[in-house]
Amino acid sequence: MKIAIIGAGSVGTALGKAWSRAGHDIVFGVRDPTSSNARSAAESAGAKARSTTVAEAGALGEVVVLATPWEATESAIGAAGSLAGKIVIDCTNPLAYRDGELGLAVGFDGSGGERVAAWAPKAHVFKALNQVGYLAMEDAKFPDGFPAMFVAGDDAERKPAVLHLMTEIGFEAVDAGPLKVSRLLEPYAMLWIHLAYNQGLGRDFAFSLLRR
Ligand SMILES: NC(=O)c1ccc[n+]([C@@H]2O[C@H](COP(=O)([O-])OP(=O)(O)OC[C@H]3O[C@@H](n4cnc5c(N)ncnc54)[C@H](OP(=O)(O)O)[C@@H]3O)[C@@H](O)[C@H]2O)c1
């Protein structure tokens, strides 16, 4: 599958490596394809990977993955052109500082995932990969089992393909329901961030699901 990753930072690079190991073709959509970040992300995502403009990547990708800072996400979607009919995986978290504390810019009666769907009309938007750190995206093998990856999205026909993309890179993919469940998955990411940075867990952990 041709996967366009918009943003070649920590998350974009990690996902490019992981999906290229799973056999997918990766193209990064970046503001400056000649930058050292853009070049090293492409180098690390296999021989066929390359970095290009956001517009070209948006046009090429069968799946378009958003790995941009929240504040850049609307303009990145605009630069990607029409994403109508494509699967869009939104990894972003709508982070913002309020009174010096990191929190969510959107919540309770809305979510970043739903905003993304409004900015990309007719795309099939899924929220996923926002709930763990990039280290787990690059390598999801943990000694105690598989990390869970909740996927929220409205398109039942395409959801199995998105769940499969999670499974391929080592997650236990869990259908979390419709896109508006992003309202739960984004605060859930805040819990991960809080544990990592305030509670001393560090960045190399993920949540898993136990059943009886
Ligand atoms: N870091 C994590 O562990 C983690 C985990 C889960 C979710 N997330 C979420 O994932 C998103 C990306 O996080 P990150 O840590 O990968 O951030 P990052 O390392 O800062 O990378 C962000 C990338 O987005 C690019 N970018 C910025 N503005 C852009 C625009 N207008 N158009 C296209 N590309 C643009 C930047 O490229 P330039 O070189 O052009 O600036 C950079 O390559 C965020 O929303 C974050 O909340 C992060």
Side-chain angles (χ1 to χ4, degrees), residues 31-79:
R31 291 188 289 191
D32 176 5
T34 64
S35 72
S36 58
N37 259 7
R39 280 183 295 146
S40 77
E43 272 162 29
S44 67
K48 284 197 271 175
R50 67 191 179 92
S51 286
T52 182
T53 61
V54 175
E56 191 184 1
L60 288 172
E62 297 163 78
V63 172
V64 176
V65 177
L66 301 173
T68 45
W70 175 246
E71 59 278 9
T73 299
E74 183 177 6
S75 74
I77 290 171

mmCIF file of all heavy atoms in Angstrom, residues 31-79:
data_model
loop_
_atom_site.group_PDB
_atom_site.id
_atom_site.type_symbol
_atom_site.label_atom_id
_atom_site.label_comp_id
_atom_site.label_asym_id
_atom_site.label_seq_id
_atom_site.Cartn_x
_atom_site.Cartn_y
_atom_site.Cartn_z
ATOM 1 N N ARG A 31 7.325 20.170 4.357
ATOM 2 C CA ARG A 31 7.388 21.541 3.841
ATOM 3 C C ARG A 31 8.639 21.751 3.004
ATOM 4 O O ARG A 31 8.627 22.479 2.033
ATOM 5 C CB ARG A 31 7.342 22.534 5.006
ATOM 6 C CG ARG A 31 5.991 22.540 5.669
ATOM 7 C CD ARG A 31 5.876 23.628 6.673
ATOM 8 N NE ARG A 31 6.686 23.379 7.872
ATOM 9 C CZ ARG A 31 6.598 24.083 8.976
ATOM 10 N NH1 ARG A 31 5.768 25.082 9.049
ATOM 11 N NH2 ARG A 31 7.350 23.792 10.027
ATOM 12 N N ASP A 32 9.745 21.112 3.414
ATOM 13 C CA ASP A 32 10.992 21.277 2.671
ATOM 14 C C ASP A 32 11.614 19.894 2.432
ATOM 15 O O ASP A 32 12.306 19.355 3.298
ATOM 16 C CB ASP A 32 11.969 22.157 3.476
ATOM 17 C CG ASP A 32 13.311 22.277 2.782
ATOM 18 O OD1 ASP A 32 13.456 21.773 1.642
ATOM 19 O OD2 ASP A 32 14.233 22.870 3.383
ATOM 20 N N PRO A 33 11.368 19.318 1.252
ATOM 21 C CA PRO A 33 11.863 17.956 0.988
ATOM 22 C C PRO A 33 13.388 17.845 1.004
ATOM 23 O O PRO A 33 13.918 16.732 1.079
ATOM 24 C CB PRO A 33 11.318 17.636 -0.408
ATOM 25 C CG PRO A 33 10.187 18.588 -0.620
ATOM 26 C CD PRO A 33 10.527 19.828 0.155
ATOM 27 N N THR A 34 14.086 18.989 0.958
ATOM 28 C CA THR A 34 15.553 18.910 0.961
ATOM 29 C C THR A 34 16.119 19.016 2.383
ATOM 30 O O THR A 34 17.328 18.921 2.581
ATOM 31 C CB THR A 34 16.173 20.034 0.106
ATOM 32 O OG1 THR A 34 15.832 21.286 0.722
ATOM 33 C CG2 THR A 34 15.669 19.998 -1.328
ATOM 34 N N SER A 35 15.270 19.214 3.381
ATOM 35 C CA SER A 35 15.786 19.385 4.746
ATOM 36 C C SER A 35 16.409 18.078 5.240
ATOM 37 O O SER A 35 16.076 16.982 4.754
ATOM 38 C CB SER A 35 14.658 19.817 5.706
ATOM 39 O OG SER A 35 13.793 18.720 5.941
ATOM 40 N N SER A 36 17.297 18.192 6.222
ATOM 41 C CA SER A 36 17.974 16.978 6.699
ATOM 42 C C SER A 36 16.983 16.020 7.354
ATOM 43 O O SER A 36 17.077 14.801 7.173
ATOM 44 C CB SER A 36 19.117 17.340 7.651
ATOM 45 O OG SER A 36 18.603 18.068 8.728
ATOM 46 N N ASN A 37 15.977 16.543 8.044
ATOM 47 C CA ASN A 37 14.936 15.686 8.640
ATOM 48 C C ASN A 37 14.212 14.874 7.584
ATOM 49 O O ASN A 37 13.983 13.683 7.730
ATOM 50 C CB ASN A 37 13.855 16.569 9.309
ATOM 51 C CG ASN A 37 14.041 16.634 10.785
ATOM 52 O OD1 ASN A 37 15.027 16.140 11.307
ATOM 53 N ND2 ASN A 37 13.081 17.251 11.462
ATOM 54 N N ALA A 38 13.812 15.587 6.532
ATOM 55 C CA ALA A 38 13.040 14.945 5.464
ATOM 56 C C ALA A 38 13.878 13.867 4.795
ATOM 57 O O ALA A 38 13.388 12.767 4.506
ATOM 58 C CB ALA A 38 12.597 15.985 4.444
ATOM 59 N N ARG A 39 15.154 14.165 4.589
ATOM 60 C CA ARG A 39 16.013 13.179 3.913
ATOM 61 C C ARG A 39 16.287 11.985 4.807
ATOM 62 O O ARG A 39 16.256 10.840 4.377
ATOM 63 C CB ARG A 39 17.306 13.835 3.428
ATOM 64 C CG ARG A 39 17.041 14.595 2.109
ATOM 65 C CD ARG A 39 18.278 15.207 1.546
ATOM 66 N NE ARG A 39 18.746 16.237 2.462
ATOM 67 C CZ ARG A 39 20.015 16.543 2.682
ATOM 68 N NH1 ARG A 39 20.960 15.930 2.042
ATOM 69 N NH2 ARG A 39 20.341 17.485 3.543
ATOM 70 N N SER A 40 16.531 12.253 6.109
ATOM 71 C CA SER A 40 16.855 11.099 6.958
ATOM 72 C C SER A 40 15.619 10.252 7.232
ATOM 73 O O SER A 40 15.708 9.026 7.338
ATOM 74 C CB SER A 40 17.599 11.515 8.233
ATOM 75 O OG SER A 40 16.714 12.062 9.148
ATOM 76 N N ALA A 41 14.420 10.877 7.296
ATOM 77 C CA ALA A 41 13.203 10.066 7.455
ATOM 78 C C ALA A 41 13.048 9.131 6.256
ATOM 79 O O ALA A 41 12.755 7.943 6.413
ATOM 80 C CB ALA A 41 11.990 10.974 7.590
ATOM 81 N N ALA A 42 13.266 9.682 5.060
ATOM 82 C CA ALA A 42 13.112 8.852 3.857
ATOM 83 C C ALA A 42 14.160 7.748 3.819
ATOM 84 O O ALA A 42 13.855 6.594 3.494
ATOM 85 C CB ALA A 42 13.196 9.728 2.609
ATOM 86 N N GLU A 43 15.387 8.078 4.201
ATOM 87 C CA GLU A 43 16.445 7.051 4.196
ATOM 88 C C GLU A 43 16.116 5.909 5.147
ATOM 89 O O GLU A 43 16.420 4.751 4.874
ATOM 90 C CB GLU A 43 17.784 7.662 4.608
ATOM 91 C CG GLU A 43 18.546 8.223 3.419
ATOM 92 C CD GLU A 43 19.641 9.193 3.850
ATOM 93 O OE1 GLU A 43 20.169 9.029 4.979
ATOM 94 O OE2 GLU A 43 19.943 10.113 3.068
ATOM 95 N N SER A 44 15.483 6.252 6.269
ATOM 96 C CA SER A 44 15.217 5.208 7.263
ATOM 97 C C SER A 44 13.969 4.378 6.935
ATOM 98 O O SER A 44 13.677 3.403 7.601
ATOM 99 C CB SER A 44 15.087 5.817 8.658
ATOM 100 O OG SER A 44 13.931 6.617 8.720
ATOM 101 N N ALA A 45 13.232 4.783 5.908
ATOM 102 C CA ALA A 45 11.981 4.075 5.595
ATOM 103 C C ALA A 45 12.093 3.231 4.323
ATOM 104 O O ALA A 45 11.097 2.994 3.641
ATOM 105 C CB ALA A 45 10.832 5.075 5.464
ATOM 106 N N GLY A 46 13.298 2.749 4.062
ATOM 107 C CA GLY A 46 13.451 1.795 2.964
ATOM 108 C C GLY A 46 13.878 2.448 1.668
ATOM 109 O O GLY A 46 13.745 3.655 1.477
ATOM 110 N N ALA A 47 14.373 1.588 0.769
ATOM 111 C CA ALA A 47 14.992 2.081 -0.459
ATOM 112 C C ALA A 47 14.008 2.837 -1.344
ATOM 113 O O ALA A 47 14.394 3.751 -2.076
ATOM 114 C CB ALA A 47 15.586 0.896 -1.230
ATOM 115 N N LYS A 48 12.731 2.451 -1.294
ATOM 116 C CA LYS A 48 11.758 3.098 -2.197
ATOM 117 C C LYS A 48 11.168 4.387 -1.614
ATOM 118 O O LYS A 48 10.469 5.122 -2.307
ATOM 119 C CB LYS A 48 10.620 2.127 -2.504
ATOM 120 C CG LYS A 48 11.020 1.052 -3.508
ATOM 121 C CD LYS A 48 9.812 0.378 -4.115
ATOM 122 C CE LYS A 48 9.387 -0.796 -3.272
ATOM 123 N NZ LYS A 48 8.170 -1.462 -3.671
ATOM 124 N N ALA A 49 11.442 4.650 -0.330
ATOM 125 C CA ALA A 49 10.816 5.803 0.321
ATOM 126 C C ALA A 49 11.443 7.103 -0.171
ATOM 127 O O ALA A 49 12.613 7.146 -0.543
ATOM 128 C CB ALA A 49 10.965 5.687 1.828
ATOM 129 N N ARG A 50 10.645 8.151 -0.157
ATOM 130 C CA ARG A 50 11.189 9.468 -0.506
ATOM 131 C C ARG A 50 10.371 10.556 0.170
ATOM 132 O O ARG A 50 9.264 10.308 0.657
ATOM 133 C CB ARG A 50 11.231 9.663 -2.019
ATOM 134 C CG ARG A 50 9.884 9.749 -2.661
ATOM 135 C CD ARG A 50 10.020 9.675 -4.182
ATOM 136 N NE ARG A 50 8.736 9.737 -4.817
ATOM 137 C CZ ARG A 50 8.159 10.852 -5.231
ATOM 138 N NH1 ARG A 50 8.773 12.022 -5.105
ATOM 139 N NH2 ARG A 50 6.975 10.839 -5.804
ATOM 140 N N SER A 51 10.942 11.725 0.188
ATOM 141 C CA SER A 51 10.225 12.891 0.723
ATOM 142 C C SER A 51 9.897 13.821 -0.423
ATOM 143 O O SER A 51 10.715 14.028 -1.327
ATOM 144 C CB SER A 51 11.102 13.633 1.731
ATOM 145 O OG SER A 51 11.180 12.903 2.917
ATOM 146 N N THR A 52 8.690 14.370 -0.362
ATOM 147 C CA THR A 52 8.279 15.297 -1.410
ATOM 148 C C THR A 52 7.391 16.370 -0.784
ATOM 149 O O THR A 52 7.309 16.475 0.439
ATOM 150 C CB THR A 52 7.572 14.536 -2.564
ATOM 151 O OG1 THR A 52 7.231 15.470 -3.580
ATOM 152 C CG2 THR A 52 6.298 13.833 -2.098
ATOM 153 N N THR A 53 6.744 17.133 -1.609
ATOM 154 C CA THR A 53 5.860 18.175 -1.068
ATOM 155 C C THR A 53 4.621 17.526 -0.437
ATOM 156 O O THR A 53 4.251 16.392 -0.769
ATOM 157 C CB THR A 53 5.391 19.112 -2.186
ATOM 158 O OG1 THR A 53 4.663 18.321 -3.139
ATOM 159 C CG2 THR A 53 6.563 19.797 -2.878
ATOM 160 N N VAL A 54 3.978 18.291 0.420
ATOM 161 C CA VAL A 54 2.741 17.794 1.040
ATOM 162 C C VAL A 54 1.697 17.542 -0.056
ATOM 163 O O VAL A 54 0.966 16.540 -0.019
ATOM 164 C CB VAL A 54 2.236 18.804 2.092
ATOM 165 C CG1 VAL A 54 0.893 18.380 2.657
ATOM 166 C CG2 VAL A 54 3.269 18.978 3.209
ATOM 167 N N ALA A 55 1.649 18.416 -1.048
ATOM 168 C CA ALA A 55 0.649 18.267 -2.125
ATOM 169 C C ALA A 55 0.869 16.970 -2.895
ATOM 170 O O ALA A 55 -0.080 16.215 -3.158
ATOM 171 C CB ALA A 55 0.729 19.466 -3.075
ATOM 172 N N GLU A 56 2.135 16.679 -3.237
ATOM 173 C CA GLU A 56 2.389 15.458 -4.025
ATOM 174 C C GLU A 56 2.125 14.213 -3.185
ATOM 175 O O GLU A 56 1.534 13.237 -3.656
ATOM 176 C CB GLU A 56 3.820 15.451 -4.572
ATOM 177 C CG GLU A 56 3.997 14.330 -5.590
ATOM 178 C CD GLU A 56 5.418 14.167 -6.132
ATOM 179 O OE1 GLU A 56 6.323 14.920 -5.706
ATOM 180 O OE2 GLU A 56 5.606 13.276 -6.964
ATOM 181 N N ALA A 57 2.554 14.266 -1.932
ATOM 182 C CA ALA A 57 2.330 13.100 -1.061
ATOM 183 C C ALA A 57 0.834 12.856 -0.883
ATOM 184 O O ALA A 57 0.359 11.720 -0.953
ATOM 185 C CB ALA A 57 3.006 13.318 0.292
ATOM 186 N N GLY A 58 0.083 13.952 -0.679
ATOM 187 C CA GLY A 58 -1.362 13.817 -0.508
ATOM 188 C C GLY A 58 -2.008 13.182 -1.731
ATOM 189 O O GLY A 58 -2.931 12.367 -1.609
ATOM 190 N N ALA A 59 -1.513 13.532 -2.884
ATOM 191 C CA ALA A 59 -2.082 12.971 -4.118
ATOM 192 C C ALA A 59 -1.691 11.501 -4.292
ATOM 193 O O ALA A 59 -2.477 10.694 -4.789
ATOM 194 C CB ALA A 59 -1.612 13.792 -5.320
ATOM 195 N N LEU A 60 -0.466 11.154 -3.867
ATOM 196 C CA LEU A 60 0.028 9.791 -4.103
ATOM 197 C C LEU A 60 -0.514 8.759 -3.108
ATOM 198 O O LEU A 60 -0.682 7.595 -3.434
ATOM 199 C CB LEU A 60 1.562 9.765 -3.994
ATOM 200 C CG LEU A 60 2.352 10.414 -5.126
ATOM 201 C CD1 LEU A 60 3.835 10.475 -4.757
ATOM 202 C CD2 LEU A 60 2.150 9.638 -6.422
ATOM 203 N N GLY A 61 -0.754 9.193 -1.858
ATOM 204 C CA GLY A 61 -1.057 8.212 -0.808
ATOM 205 C C GLY A 61 -2.441 7.604 -0.947
ATOM 206 O O GLY A 61 -3.419 8.325 -1.160
ATOM 207 N N GLU A 62 -2.506 6.295 -0.830
ATOM 208 C CA GLU A 62 -3.835 5.657 -0.697
ATOM 209 C C GLU A 62 -4.327 5.868 0.737
ATOM 210 O O GLU A 62 -5.503 5.987 1.005
ATOM 211 C CB GLU A 62 -3.731 4.155 -0.963
ATOM 212 C CG GLU A 62 -3.286 3.806 -2.365
ATOM 213 C CD GLU A 62 -2.814 2.357 -2.447
ATOM 214 O OE1 GLU A 62 -3.679 1.481 -2.502
ATOM 215 O OE2 GLU A 62 -1.583 2.127 -2.433
ATOM 216 N N VAL A 63 -3.330 5.857 1.629
ATOM 217 C CA VAL A 63 -3.575 6.173 3.034
ATOM 218 C C VAL A 63 -2.736 7.409 3.341
ATOM 219 O O VAL A 63 -1.560 7.468 2.965
ATOM 220 C CB VAL A 63 -3.131 5.014 3.944
ATOM 221 C CG1 VAL A 63 -3.192 5.391 5.411
ATOM 222 C CG2 VAL A 63 -3.983 3.773 3.684
ATOM 223 N N VAL A 64 -3.343 8.392 3.994
ATOM 224 C CA VAL A 64 -2.616 9.617 4.356
ATOM 225 C C VAL A 64 -2.604 9.719 5.873
ATOM 226 O O VAL A 64 -3.655 9.679 6.519
ATOM 227 C CB VAL A 64 -3.280 10.858 3.719
ATOM 228 C CG1 VAL A 64 -2.586 12.136 4.171
ATOM 229 C CG2 VAL A 64 -3.257 10.744 2.190
ATOM 230 N N VAL A 65 -1.395 9.797 6.421
ATOM 231 C CA VAL A 65 -1.224 9.781 7.874
ATOM 232 C C VAL A 65 -0.807 11.181 8.319
ATOM 233 O O VAL A 65 0.170 11.731 7.793
ATOM 234 C CB VAL A 65 -0.128 8.742 8.250
ATOM 235 C CG1 VAL A 65 0.119 8.744 9.748
ATOM 236 C CG2 VAL A 65 -0.542 7.359 7.768
ATOM 237 N N LEU A 66 -1.542 11.733 9.270
ATOM 238 C CA LEU A 66 -1.223 13.082 9.749
ATOM 239 C C LEU A 66 -0.335 12.985 10.974
ATOM 240 O O LEU A 66 -0.760 12.487 12.021
ATOM 241 C CB LEU A 66 -2.510 13.829 10.091
ATOM 242 C CG LEU A 66 -3.499 13.974 8.927
ATOM 243 C CD1 LEU A 66 -4.809 14.577 9.425
ATOM 244 C CD2 LEU A 66 -2.900 14.823 7.803
ATOM 245 N N ALA A 67 0.896 13.451 10.841
ATOM 246 C CA ALA A 67 1.861 13.406 11.950
ATOM 247 C C ALA A 67 2.472 14.795 12.121
ATOM 248 O O ALA A 67 3.696 14.965 12.164
ATOM 249 C CB ALA A 67 2.933 12.357 11.670
ATOM 250 N N THR A 68 1.606 15.778 12.198
ATOM 251 C CA THR A 68 2.012 17.184 12.307
ATOM 252 C C THR A 68 1.641 17.722 13.683
ATOM 253 O O THR A 68 0.719 17.209 14.323
ATOM 254 C CB THR A 68 1.261 18.009 11.243
ATOM 255 O OG1 THR A 68 -0.120 17.621 11.257
ATOM 256 C CG2 THR A 68 1.817 17.780 9.860
ATOM 257 N N PRO A 69 2.309 18.781 14.116
ATOM 258 C CA PRO A 69 1.851 19.432 15.342
ATOM 259 C C PRO A 69 0.406 19.892 15.142
ATOM 260 O O PRO A 69 0.019 20.267 14.027
ATOM 261 C CB PRO A 69 2.797 20.640 15.485
ATOM 262 C CG PRO A 69 3.979 20.333 14.608
ATOM 263 C CD PRO A 69 3.465 19.461 13.509
ATOM 264 N N TRP A 70 -0.370 19.883 16.217
ATOM 265 C CA TRP A 70 -1.795 20.231 16.092
ATOM 266 C C TRP A 70 -1.992 21.567 15.391
ATOM 267 O O TRP A 70 -2.816 21.708 14.484
ATOM 268 C CB TRP A 70 -2.450 20.242 17.475
ATOM 269 C CG TRP A 70 -3.860 20.716 17.415
ATOM 270 C CD1 TRP A 70 -4.380 21.849 17.941
ATOM 271 C CD2 TRP A 70 -4.951 20.063 16.728
ATOM 272 N NE1 TRP A 70 -5.721 21.952 17.632
ATOM 273 C CE2 TRP A 70 -6.096 20.868 16.894
ATOM 274 C CE3 TRP A 70 -5.055 18.883 15.984
ATOM 275 C CZ2 TRP A 70 -7.334 20.533 16.357
ATOM 276 C CZ3 TRP A 70 -6.292 18.548 15.438
ATOM 277 C CH2 TRP A 70 -7.405 19.365 15.637
ATOM 278 N N GLU A 71 -1.205 22.549 15.786
ATOM 279 C CA GLU A 71 -1.437 23.894 15.253
ATOM 280 C C GLU A 71 -1.128 23.981 13.757
ATOM 281 O O GLU A 71 -1.578 24.919 13.096
ATOM 282 C CB GLU A 71 -0.635 24.948 16.051
ATOM 283 C CG GLU A 71 0.867 24.756 16.076
ATOM 284 C CD GLU A 71 1.357 23.735 17.122
ATOM 285 O OE1 GLU A 71 0.528 23.033 17.726
ATOM 286 O OE2 GLU A 71 2.586 23.639 17.303
ATOM 287 N N ALA A 72 -0.411 23.004 13.212
ATOM 288 C CA ALA A 72 -0.091 23.017 11.778
ATOM 289 C C ALA A 72 -1.020 22.098 10.980
ATOM 290 O O ALA A 72 -0.939 22.045 9.758
ATOM 291 C CB ALA A 72 1.359 22.558 11.571
ATOM 292 N N THR A 73 -1.894 21.389 11.668
ATOM 293 C CA THR A 73 -2.623 20.303 11.003
ATOM 294 C C THR A 73 -3.637 20.816 9.977
ATOM 295 O O THR A 73 -3.726 20.274 8.867
ATOM 296 C CB THR A 73 -3.279 19.388 12.063
ATOM 297 O OG1 THR A 73 -2.213 18.841 12.859
ATOM 298 C CG2 THR A 73 -4.059 18.257 11.435
ATOM 299 N N GLU A 74 -4.351 21.862 10.305
ATOM 300 C CA GLU A 74 -5.338 22.362 9.336
ATOM 301 C C GLU A 74 -4.639 22.824 8.058
ATOM 302 O O GLU A 74 -5.077 22.503 6.949
ATOM 303 C CB GLU A 74 -6.162 23.512 9.950
ATOM 304 C CG GLU A 74 -7.238 23.993 8.976
ATOM 305 C CD GLU A 74 -8.140 25.085 9.557
ATOM 306 O OE1 GLU A 74 -7.870 25.561 10.693
ATOM 307 O OE2 GLU A 74 -9.107 25.462 8.888
ATOM 308 N N SER A 75 -3.533 23.550 8.216
ATOM 309 C CA SER A 75 -2.867 24.029 7.001
ATOM 310 C C SER A 75 -2.206 22.879 6.247
ATOM 311 O O SER A 75 -2.166 22.875 5.008
ATOM 312 C CB SER A 75 -1.881 25.158 7.309
ATOM 313 O OG SER A 75 -0.745 24.651 7.926
ATOM 314 N N ALA A 76 -1.723 21.872 6.968
ATOM 315 C CA ALA A 76 -1.134 20.707 6.272
ATOM 316 C C ALA A 76 -2.205 19.986 5.456
ATOM 317 O O ALA A 76 -1.957 19.567 4.319
ATOM 318 C CB ALA A 76 -0.492 19.755 7.287
ATOM 319 N N ILE A 77 -3.400 19.858 6.012
ATOM 320 C CA ILE A 77 -4.499 19.208 5.270
ATOM 321 C C ILE A 77 -4.836 20.045 4.030
ATOM 322 O O ILE A 77 -5.021 19.506 2.929
ATOM 323 C CB ILE A 77 -5.730 19.028 6.187
ATOM 324 C CG1 ILE A 77 -5.444 17.962 7.247
ATOM 325 C CG2 ILE A 77 -6.966 18.655 5.374
ATOM 326 C CD1 ILE A 77 -6.500 17.855 8.340
ATOM 327 N N GLY A 78 -4.855 21.363 4.210
ATOM 328 C CA GLY A 78 -5.124 22.238 3.060
ATOM 329 C C GLY A 78 -4.080 22.048 1.975
ATOM 330 O O GLY A 78 -4.407 21.964 0.787
ATOM 331 N N ALA A 79 -2.814 21.934 2.387
ATOM 332 C CA ALA A 79 -1.732 21.781 1.407
ATOM 333 C C ALA A 79 -1.771 20.420 0.722
ATOM 334 O O ALA A 79 -1.255 20.257 -0.386
ATOM 335 C CB ALA A 79 -0.384 21.978 2.103
#
